[in-house]
Structure formats: structure tokens, C-alpha cells
Amino acid sequence: MSVRSDKQGMKIIIIGAGNVGSTLVEQLAHEGHDITIVDIVARKIQAITDNYDVMGIVGNGASYSLLMEAGIEKADLLIAVTESDELNLLCCTVAKRVGRCAAIARVRMPDYSKEVQYLQEQLKLALVINPEMETAKEAARILAMPTALDVMAFAHGQAELIKIAIPEGNRIAGMTLAEIGKKLPVSALVCAVERNGEVYIPSGSFRLEGGDTLTFAASRRNIRTFMDTFGFKSRRVRDTLIVGGSKAAYYLAQELIHSGVEVKIIEQSRERCDELSVLLPKAIIINGDGTEEGLLKEEGIERADSFVPLTGIDEVNIILTLYARKISQAKVITKINRMNFKSVVNSLELGSVIYPRYVTAEAIIAYVRARYESRSNSIETLYHLFDQRVEAIEFRVEEASEVTDIPLRDLKRKDELLIACINRDGHIIIPSGDDCIRVGDTVMIVTKHLGFRSLTEILK
Amino acid sequence: MNYAMIAYIVGAVLRIEGVLLLGPCAAALYYSENVGWYYLCVAAFCELCGWLLVMLRPKDQVFYLKEGCVATALSWLALSFFGGLPMYISGQIPHFIDAMFESASGFTTTGATVCQSVEALAKSTLLWRSMTHWIGGMGILVFLLAIVPLSGGSNMNIMRAESPGPSVGKLVPKVRHTARILYLIYIGLTILEIILLIAGGMSLFDSVNHSMATAGTGGFGVRNDSIASYTPYLQWVITVFMIAFGVNFNAYYFILFRQFRKAFSMEEVRNYILIILASIFFVFLSIRSIYGVSDGLRHAAFQVGSIISTTGFTTADFDAWPQVARTILVLLMFIGSCAGSTGGGLKVSRVTIAVKTVKKELAAYLHPKSIKKIRFEGKPVEHEVVRSINVYFITFLILFTGSVLLVSINGYDLETNLTAVAATINNVGPGLAKVGPTVNFGHFSIFTKCVLIFDMIAGRLELFPLLMLFHPAIWKEVCRRRK
């Protein structure tokens, strides 16, 4: 699954070797870029340079002389992901003055998150990322469609990729994809199926079985029809119990309250409870230890529609999930921040799992790939599916090329690749062989070939 | 342990060596020497062995520091073995261990020879000896890294195992590009020296040989009296280049990218130059009465440059010099060249940091509660680095004294034994007394030669990669898998 190319990679400086920083190093180094990682703690740098082919520098990333040493003058991109928002913004500001690179900053404090637009414009940042907010948005999307294991939005939220598990004995089991297409009153496309650990990009003759996990694409409206047709519940949750009053919990509560869901947050620290009650007047804030069985029962975990443990400790989140699945019917979402034992986590059958560090990395990789390719095209969104074995990428078509204005059936496309959907002026098309790609569209492809940078790569 | 990956790396190294062995074949063809056939056979054999090992292309390409060290140590042993093979079977060096000694001495850039008369050797063998210096100088695994794409970040573990110096840094983010830059600088400087030597009237064959031997800081010559019979101009050119190849290559990288201030503010390089200037001055004072001013200065500079860069060329029999000059030269053997160069020895950076720790310890006696970090190259040195340097000195001392003890079984005097070990473990070449510039290592017993071969490879790989091979944990899994 190597996606190296002979071309010289981009020169990228990453400041901050924390959770997100090291994930970025891992993924961007894998894509073949020249990376310099900066952190004030020598130990962290040592750990990263031992494991990845990157250069490490110890020091303060906002200092002019350090940035010079890191080669800011020739760098293409600077990504600031230290603990502190202010430091990240300062790093980007200094970098923009010294070099000609693009800059990405992580800003996650609620105070600034409302002003992201302003900050981005004034400081001329390429991207401002907020992993906590992205995590919350993803959780909110899943809670709006609780049968789904995962919900990924694209085409500005007009369409979604939905991942669901097929229970044994479900109506859809035993049907081929062609039959499903006939039965559905609306258009939707099954993009990828996981069976016994193998991932398939299915064709029309592919027959589904109970126990499969599938991902399908459809416009937002048609998703409910799909779910209802095949007997999946599509009702959104009415209330949510959140454990831990982190930033992500705040963003999630805000999203949910906005769409009319009752929110209850259990938080241990008294001061944080006070803050939250000011920030979220409509939520019920409970001051107590969310890992206490008695308290959870008292607050009605058994009857809750959904339950989201958002503590800072992965192990606690996992235990709480397992507990909730045991004693209640609630939809549960687990947030896992740092843990790497993906195979173990998968075997626990936690249901929906969110990895905030990957959420952030996806956004940045999408940006980097689009910038790296000289032709004018851009990647709107990028998702890694099924443990990064499948990529879903949404391209914006900005100029005519070998793939535009030709009916899809006449395009010699690579195997293991699907054109999942086309967004034409806000109108979602699930394409058939007669459709063609036009300039101005955004096109979502789902593929097992990793590392696409432009739409023309779909051709053989 | 990822044995498949280790085998793959050793195999790749052997394949490169197979190709390099064609060098002496070409020379044999040009000078119509029969020994070329032996080189060709060994080249084919080497290629075959390498191919077989590479065939086991491992699925799992991940390897850690221990695999990097083991692969490096085994590669160097294999390299020396196959390098010595043609010299042995062609009868150029009649005894097997002697051939191994010559080959190990070549690859480790020691330059200690067992040959009574190098002029009696075939031209192709002479070329091969110089080539081993050139390959061994920058390191064959670094070369491997430059051309073979190994996935993942773990290839830094190979670079770390083979490159000299207490902490190995990169010039650019990717190991592969770093290795390429190093080799480009290396090749560039070598060619420059060849041109300057030819301009001074040296024959093409001699200048190519001498340049490769200088570049690797090796010291195999093509004449029995080493460099002594060449003109003063040529001796000065070689002096300058010997010293230049002992400089940390980072300095050249900075110069290449016009960061002159960075290049000239490198503390290690400055200390290296200072030590050289001071040594030349004192050696000159002590030998002035023998040679006169101009010759004395030339001989002093040449010998000092040759010994501190651990090259080992000679223009004069320094064994016959006054005691001060002899002692200075022996001490220079231990200091050696800069980290990140092609030379051997303890390295100037290690010595500098060690001296600073002594200074710090003295200050701690004056102000017991004072806290002071050692600084080197303008940056505070991590405790971990200081600790590893201290351990390096101790390990070096143990290995050195142990070797002297083993060599003493041979029955020679202490001066011979001490300098023989010092000259091999530091990859210098000539020592004093019975291993002085005018004599060779041929008269040692087989056992002693084996000890010295071990010292040479241990010294070149900075001790630990080779010593790792003796740790039972490395081989535990092999035994377990057999059962």
C-alpha cells in the first residue's frame, strides 16, 4: 500500500509532536514528503525520528532562528499543532513573514472557534483545523442516524457516506447489488463492503450476506428511504448522555442542542461545570464522577437514547462503552485519542468509534495532496475507510481534462474504483454509465488505490 | 528479530560488492594480467550469494536498531571475506588469514598491510585495495541507502550503525537524500584530488589509487615507501586532502549551500584544525634539526595530517624521530578525525565533550550545588549523549587493553603491541617499532592477526554494532526457531 512516487515530495514543517503531530508525520511521511518536525521536548523528537524518516529539531517553533534552521525559506507548508492555540497562531504568523509557505494552524478553544473565518483571512492561513469540533460534528452526524456505524459528509453536507452493519436475517442479506438498485425507489450506491476482514469494491453481481459491513453513498434525503426500505431504523436520537466536559463535549452539546436533542453532561470538576453551565444554558450539567456506576444509573443510562463517553482517557471511554452496551439499548459512540491497538479495538465490537487524530489528518492530507499536484484541481474532502484500506475522495473539477464530458461507460477506469456520486450545482447525481463529468462538478470516488491526487488518476 | 530483512541487506551489499569487483577486472584487462580471472570469478560468486540472499525478499520490512546493527556488522564481515577472497585464491597473498587481514584493513580504511613489497602486487590488486578504502570510507550501507529504496523510517537505524560519531544527524529530512548528498560530496572531492595529483605529474593509475585511499582515509599506497618518493607538491596536495577528508562532511554541505558562517562556526572542525596546527608546530620543532625548515615542515604536516585523519600514508620514517614527535603522533591516533567524516579514532567531538565533562566536574567541586549543562556546537548536550560517550570510552579502553594483552602472547615488546592495537582499532595503519612505517604486519602470528582484524572492524563500526553480535539475545531466536 505504498503510495510513494519518484517526484520530490513537498517540504513540510510540523510544529508540535503531540498526538496529532505524530499522526501527521506518520501519514505524510508515508506519502513521500520531506518532513521536519519541531518540538520543545527532545524525548518526543527522538521517538519520532527513530520511527520515521524525517528530520527532527528541538526548540521553540515560533522562534525566527529555529524556523530558519528548519528551512522555512524553502518550505512549502507549515503545520502548527502544539498544545497552545496562541503559539500555533504565532508560529504561522512568523512563518508567513519569513517564508513563502502556506500555513495551517490548529485552533480549538471555543473562544476562537467562532472567529475562525476572521483569523483565517487576516492571518492568511490556508486552513484552520479544530479536531475537537470535527470530532463533535462527526459524532452529531452519527447520532442523527443512529443505526449507522459511521457517517461521512461530503458535497457540503448534501450527500453522505453511511457505514452500516447488516445483521443476520436482514432483508438485504442475500440480495445482489443489482437487485437492491431495482428495489430502491431512489438512487443510492453501495461503495465498499467488508467481509471477514477483507474489503471489496463491489460490482452489480455482488451478493450481500449477513454480517457484512457496507458503505453506501446517497444524497441526504434519500438515505432515510434506503434505511426504511431495508428495515433499518432511521429515527434520530432524542436525548444524549455525555461523560466528561471536554472541549469536544462542548462542541457536541452545542450541535445537538441546535438540532433539538436533550443533552446531559456529567463532569467531575466543579469549575468546569460552572463554565459549561454558562456556555450551554440549555444542557443539564451534572457535577460528579461519570465512571461511577451508581451515578450513571441515577442519571438514567439504561433509558438513554444515546451515550457518548468523551473523557480524556481512552481506556475509560472503552469501559464505559462496553458497560453501556451491556445494560442499555443506547446508541454509543467511543472516542479513542491515542491508542494504536486497532485490531484489538475492532474485535471489541464497540460500534461507532471516532479517532480525532485521523479526522484532523484527513483534512490536512486532502489539502496537501491537492496542493502537491500542479494541475488546477482541488480535493474537497478525503476520508479513510476500513482502517485506511479504502479512500473516499471528493474532487472539484475546475478545468476540462481527459475525464470530462465523456460518458462514464466509455472511460477506461482502473479496477477497484467507483465513481460514487457527482454534485452538480447542489444537485446530487448517483451516476450511471450515461452520465459524464462536467467542469464545475465535484466528484466523489471510492477506491482501494491509495494516494490519488487528481481526478485523472482514475484512468488506467 | 527480523532475520529475513538482515539477510536481504547483507545480500544487497554483496551484490554491490560483486559489481565493484569488476573494477580490478577492468584494470587486469587493461594491463593484461591473469589475476583478473580470479576477480571475475569472485565477482560472479559474490553476485550469486547476494542474489540468493536477496531472493528471500522479506514481507515485513520493518527493522529496529538491533537489526540495523546486526545487519551492518554482518555486512562488514561478509564484505571483508569476499574482498579478501580474490587476493587469496589468485595467490597474490598466499596465506588465507593474511588476505582477510589485508581486505579488512582495506574496508575499514586502516591501511595496515601484510605485504612485504606492494610493488610486487598486480596492478589490479593494487586498484582493488584502494577501492576497498574508498567504499569503506563513506560506508557501503550508506551507499545502499542512497540507491535502494527501503520503506519506512527504520533505515535511519542502518545509517546510525555505520556512520561515525556520537550522534548521527541528517542533512535533509530523508535518509536517502542525505546519503546521496554525502556521496556526491565524497565523489566530488575525490575527483578534485585526482585532477590536482595529475596536474602535479603523477601517473593516472597512481593518482586514482592515492585519491581513493586518501578519500577513505585508508593509507594503502602503490609504492613500498608510500608517498616518500613523490615530489613535495604532490605530498602537500595529499596532506591537504587527508586533512580535508577528516572534516565533518556537514561542513561541506553548508559550504555547498553557501552557509559559510555555519560551516566555519562548527566547533568540532575548529578544534580539529587547532589540534592539527598545534601538533604540526611541536612536531616541527622537534624534527627541525634533522630535516631543516622546509622539509621539516612538510614532513611534520604530512605525518600529522596522515595520523590524525587516520589515513596512514608516510613520507618519512617517523619511528626514528625524537620521542616527543613519536608520542604526539601516537596520541593523535586516539583523537582521530571529526565525526561524520571518513576517518577513524575516538573522534574530535567525543574528545571535546569528554574534556568538557572533566571541566564541569572540577566546577562541581568548587560549587557543589551548581547546575551547568555542557554545551557543544552552541547547543546543550543531552545527558544521554554524555553518558553514551563515557560508556564509549570505557568500552574502548576495555577492548584496547584486552587486545594488547592478547597481542602480547606473540612475544613482542610493549611499544609494538600497544601501537599495533592503537593503529588498527583507530584505523590508522602504521604504528611504531616492529609495526613502524618501514615495516608491516606480516610477521605477526595468525592469532594476533585475527585479534587485529576484529579490532579494525570494531573500530570502524564504532564498537557496538560488532559487539552486539556477541550478545546471546541476538542469536536466541535463531536457535529457538531451529528447534
Side-chain angles (χ1 to χ4, degrees):
Chain A
M1 61 178 251
S2 176
V3 284
R4 258 156 216 286
S5 79
D6 294 332
K7 237 170 127 183
Q8 281 261 326
M10 275 174 62
K11 293 189 173 46
I12 301 176
I13 301 173
I14 299 176
I15 299 171
N19 231 328
V20 174
S22 48
T23 310
L24 282 173
V25 168
E26 178 192 337
Q27 306 220 340
L28 291 173
H30 184 73
E31 304 219 341
H33 299 292
D34 287 356
I35 296 166
T36 306
I37 175 105
V38 180
D39 198 292
I40 203 115
V41 184
R43 208 165 7 88
K44 288 186 186 169
I45 292 294
Q46 185 67 40
I48 285 183
T49 48
D50 277 350
N51 288 313
Y52 303 104
D53 193 1
V54 299
M55 187 145 87
I57 296 179
V58 179
N60 179 355
S63 98
Y64 167 78
S65 54
L66 184 128
L67 284 174
M68 291 301 280
E69 191 186 336
I72 189 76
E73 287 169 303
K74 283 182 192 154
D76 299 305
L77 176 65
L78 177 127
I79 305 172
V81 286
T82 67
E83 279 285 284
S84 144
D85 288 352
E86 291 83 0
L87 183 56
N88 292 342
L89 290 171
L90 184 60
C91 289
C92 290
T93 316
V94 175
K96 297 241 47 144
R97 289 285 149 87
V98 185
R100 274 192 298 274
C101 63
I104 297 177
R106 170 166 76 171
V107 177
R108 51 185 179 169
M109 292 255 284
D111 311 4
Y112 301 128
S113 70
K114 290 169 194 144
E115 296 151 14
V116 159
Q117 200 73 28
Y118 175 80
L119 282 175
Q120 193 169 352
E121 276 166 21
Q122 290 303 311
L123 301 178
K124 297 196 176 58
L125 302 178
L127 216 57
V128 172
I129 52 169
N130 185 344
E132 273 70 15
M133 185 168 330
E134 293 304 321
T135 307
K137 279 191 176 153
E138 191 169 338
R141 283 200 297 268
I142 296 173
L143 291 177
M145 183 62 63
T147 346
L149 291 173
D150 205 351
V151 179
M152 289 152 278
F154 54 98
H156 298 294
Q158 302 257 28
E160 278 168 354
L161 268 178
I162 308 273
K163 184 172 159 190
I164 46 173
I166 305 173
E168 296 290 344
N170 185 281
R171 225 178 299 165
I172 205 169
M175 289 168 79
T176 64
L177 298 190
E179 287 164 6
I180 293 174
K182 272 179 217 145
K183 196 146 188 211
L184 265 181
V186 294
S187 59
L189 184 70
V190 176
C191 307
V193 179
E194 186 184 30
R195 178 178 297 165
N196 303 328
E198 275 295 308
V199 186
Y200 304 92
I201 305 286
S203 63
S205 58
F206 191 91
R207 194 174 290 279
L208 293 173
E209 287 173 13
D212 287 355
T213 306
L214 68 81
T215 297
F216 71 91
S219 70
R220 216 165 164 175
R221 253 177 305 144
N222 295 343
I223 286 167
R224 271 171 216 286
T225 325
F226 183 100
M227 299 293 247
D228 292 336
T229 314
F230 298 108
F232 295 104
K233 278 196 234 82
S234 66
R235 176 181 57 81
R236 67 161 55 234
V237 298
R238 285 161 307 186
D239 60 80
T240 301
L241 178 59
I242 300 174
V243 176
S246 57
K247 290 188 197 81
Y250 161 74
Y251 290 122
L252 176 60
Q254 206 183 28
E255 288 273 327
L256 291 176
I257 291 167
H258 185 68
S259 54
V261 180
E262 269 179 46
V263 177
K264 206 182 272 179
I265 300 177
I266 303 180
E267 162 61 41
Q268 209 166 8
S269 140
R270 174 70 211 214
E271 285 110 67
R272 182 66 186 156
C273 282
D274 288 342
E275 284 168 31
L276 284 171
S277 71
V278 175
L279 288 167
L280 300 164
K282 283 189 183 161
I284 303 169
I285 312 290
I286 289 157
N287 180 213
D289 184 355
T291 56
E292 238 174 65
E293 203 176 341
L295 181 65
L296 287 174
K297 280 194 172 155
E298 189 185 342
E299 292 307 328
I301 187 171
E302 285 147 307
R303 294 177 311 280
D305 253 6
S306 60
F307 178 66
V308 189
L310 288 176
T311 70
I313 305 162
D314 294 343
E315 295 85 331
V316 170
N317 291 344
I318 291 172
I319 291 287
L320 287 175
T321 300
L322 293 173
Y323 174 68
R325 285 178 76 87
K326 196 172 159 64
I327 66 155
S328 80
Q329 296 295 315
K331 168 72 191 178
V332 190
I333 300 174
T334 318
K335 181 188 83 157
I336 297 185
N337 250 336
R338 27 177 1 111
M339 264 204 264
N340 281 319
F341 301 99
K342 265 202 162 179
S343 55
V344 180
V345 171
N346 288 351
S347 72
L348 284 175
E349 298 191 0
L350 298 174
S352 301
V353 180
I354 299 179
Y355 297 90
R357 58 199 187 121
Y358 291 119
V359 173
T360 322
E362 279 164 359
I364 291 179
I365 288 167
Y367 174 81
V368 169
R369 278 203 204 154
R371 232 187 101 89
Y372 183 53
E373 189 59 36
S374 49
R375 294 178 74 154
S376 73
N377 69 47
S378 58
I379 298 178
E380 292 271 303
T381 42
L382 175 143
Y383 292 110
H384 290 294
L385 314 178
F386 299 107
D387 291 339
Q388 306 179 23
R389 282 176 289 171
V390 176
E391 277 180 1
I393 312 178
E394 186 184 7
F395 290 101
R396 171 169 293 284
V397 185
E398 279 166 1
E399 60 181 28
S401 66
E402 301 97 297
V403 294
T404 52
D405 299 316
I406 297 173
L408 295 184
R409 77 156 62 80
D410 297 332
L411 286 177
K412 286 206 178 2
R413 280 169 289 156
K414 285 185 177 128
D415 295 329
E416 311 250 44
L417 178 148
L418 276 179
I419 297 178
C421 112
I422 297 174
N423 172 19
R424 188 163 296 156
D425 304 327
H427 189 67
I428 301 295
I429 304 164
I430 302 293
S432 68
D434 301 324
D435 290 298
C436 28
I437 297 168
R438 300 234 173 90
V439 175
D441 290 353
T442 71
V443 180
M444 170 68 123
I445 61 157
V446 176
T447 174
K448 277 172 89 171
H449 304 277
L450 308 179
F452 276 17
R453 301 199 191 95
S454 83
L455 191 57
T456 47
E457 286 180 67
I458 64 171
L459 296 175
K460 262 185 183 164
Chain B
M1 291 290 285
N2 190 342
Y3 293 107
M5 194 65 205
I6 294 173
Y8 178 78
I9 293 170
V10 175
V13 166
L14 286 182
R15 291 197 63 174
I16 296 175
E17 188 178 13
V19 173
L20 291 169
L21 273 165
L22 297 177
C25 295
L29 198 68
Y30 183 75
Y31 293 105
S32 50
E33 290 171 336
N34 283 330
V35 289
W37 292 110
Y38 298 106
Y39 281 97
L40 197 63
C41 291
V42 175
F45 182 51
C46 205
E47 201 66 26
L48 178 73
C49 292
W51 185 72
L52 284 176
L53 287 171
V54 173
M55 278 294 283
L56 310 162
R57 189 167 183 113
K59 256 191 194 159
D60 179 12
Q61 289 211 347
V62 177
F63 58 100
Y64 299 97
L65 185 60
K66 57 172 185 270
E67 278 102 349
C69 286
V70 172
T72 308
L74 289 178
S75 298
W76 276 78
L77 291 175
L79 203 61
S80 305
F81 174 76
F82 282 98
L85 219 45
M87 296 193 245
Y88 170 59
I89 57 172
S90 65
Q92 293 263 300
I93 296 173
H95 198 283
F96 178 71
I97 293 295
D98 280 351
M100 291 300 124
F101 185 94
E102 196 77 2
S103 165
S105 168
F107 281 112
T108 60
T109 73
T110 307
T113 181
V114 289
C115 299
Q116 199 72 52
S117 157
V118 288
E119 280 160 26
L121 294 173
K123 294 255 191 207
S124 41
T125 303
L126 288 176
L127 181 69
W128 177 237
R129 285 169 15 125
S130 308
M131 279 178 76
T132 58
H133 278 331
W134 196 81
I135 304 155
M138 189 51 85
I140 189 148
L141 289 153
V142 173
F143 184 66
L144 184 74
L145 290 176
I147 56 168
V148 181
L150 289 170
S151 72
S154 31
N155 42 19
M156 190 59 199
N157 289 327
I158 291 187
M159 186 117 165
R160 207 169 277 157
E162 201 184 39
S163 301
S167 62
V168 177
K170 290 193 235 179
L171 301 169
V172 290
K174 280 191 193 139
V175 167
R176 198 169 172 201
H177 297 161
T178 304
R180 276 191 193 162
I181 292 172
L182 288 176
Y183 258 96
L184 282 177
I185 295 172
Y186 193 45
I187 291 170
L189 282 174
T190 311
I191 292 174
L192 185 66
E193 187 184 350
I194 294 177
I195 293 169
L196 287 175
L197 288 180
I198 290 177
M202 198 186 272
S203 73
L204 178 66
F205 181 80
D206 287 12
S207 37
V208 167
N209 275 305
H210 285 132
S211 297
M212 288 202 289
T214 319
T217 66
F220 279 152
V222 296
R223 293 194 186 173
N224 287 340
D225 59 2
S226 194
I227 309 294
S229 51
Y230 291 101
T231 62
Y233 163 79
L234 294 173
Q235 294 183 0
W236 276 114
V237 169
I238 291 176
T239 306
V240 170
F241 274 93
M242 284 191 301
I243 294 170
F245 279 106
V247 169
N248 192 330
F249 272 49
N250 286 9
Y252 298 124
Y253 174 76
F254 290 139
I255 289 172
L256 210 62
F257 284 87
R258 290 158 198 280
Q259 295 170 310
F260 297 107
R261 203 201 276 171
K262 255 186 178 172
F264 295 116
S265 66
M266 284 178 77
E267 193 178 345
E268 180 174 25
V269 180
R270 271 196 332 229
N271 287 353
Y272 174 70
I273 302 290
L274 279 179
I275 295 171
I276 290 175
L277 291 179
S279 307
I280 293 175
F281 178 69
F282 287 113
V283 171
F284 171 66
L285 282 188
S286 99
I287 62 168
R288 190 184 41 179
S289 53
I290 312 174
Y291 298 100
V293 174
S294 111
D295 282 0
L297 191 63
R298 194 178 75 240
H299 287 313
F302 192 96
Q303 259 58 237
V304 166
S306 168
I307 296 294
I308 195 167
S309 69
T310 73
T311 310
F313 281 139
T314 51
T315 56
D317 182 9
F318 58 77
D319 192 31
W321 285 0
Q323 288 303 333
V324 192
R326 294 175 83 209
T327 312
I328 290 175
L329 291 179
V330 171
L331 293 181
L332 289 181
M333 285 184 188
F334 287 97
I335 294 174
S337 53
C338 297
S341 71
T342 61
L346 287 168
K347 304 288 170 324
V348 176
S349 58
R350 280 208 186 86
V351 175
T352 308
I353 294 175
V355 170
K356 285 185 178 178
T357 55
V358 174
K359 227 166 88 185
K360 180 188 159 188
E361 192 64 21
L362 281 179
Y365 276 89
L366 285 173
H367 309 284
K369 291 206 170 147
S370 72
I371 290 179
K372 195 172 165 58
K373 274 257 173 198
I374 297 169
R375 295 177 81 84
F376 181 63
E377 305 278 9
K379 283 186 178 162
V381 180
E382 291 296 317
H383 174 73
E384 194 52 33
V385 176
V386 176
R387 188 198 59 82
S388 78
I389 289 173
N390 291 343
V391 175
Y392 188 87
F393 275 102
I394 295 165
T395 318
F396 185 88
L397 202 63
I398 293 172
L399 201 63
F400 181 76
T401 46
S403 303
V404 170
L405 181 64
L406 291 176
V407 170
S408 69
I409 298 171
N410 218 33
Y412 290 137
D413 59 299
L414 190 61
E415 195 171 62
T416 306
N417 297 340
L418 268 176
T419 55
V421 174
T424 47
I425 202 168
N426 293 316
N427 301 141
V428 179
L432 298 176
K434 290 198 176 64
V435 290
T438 53
V439 271
N440 60 64
F441 284 69
H443 49 73
F444 279 118
S445 71
I446 288 177
F447 173 71
T448 307
K449 280 174 191 156
C450 290
V451 172
L452 295 179
I453 290 174
F454 181 85
D455 284 346
M456 287 190 282
I457 298 180
R460 171 61 181 84
L461 298 182
E462 307 242 302
L463 312 183
F464 291 103
L466 191 63
L467 295 180
M468 283 260 307
L469 291 184
F470 295 92
H471 198 290
I474 300 293
W475 303 108
K476 227 184 208 161
E477 281 173 61
V478 180
C479 306
R480 212 176 278 160
R481 218 176 272 177
R482 290 259 166 79
K483 281 169 198 165

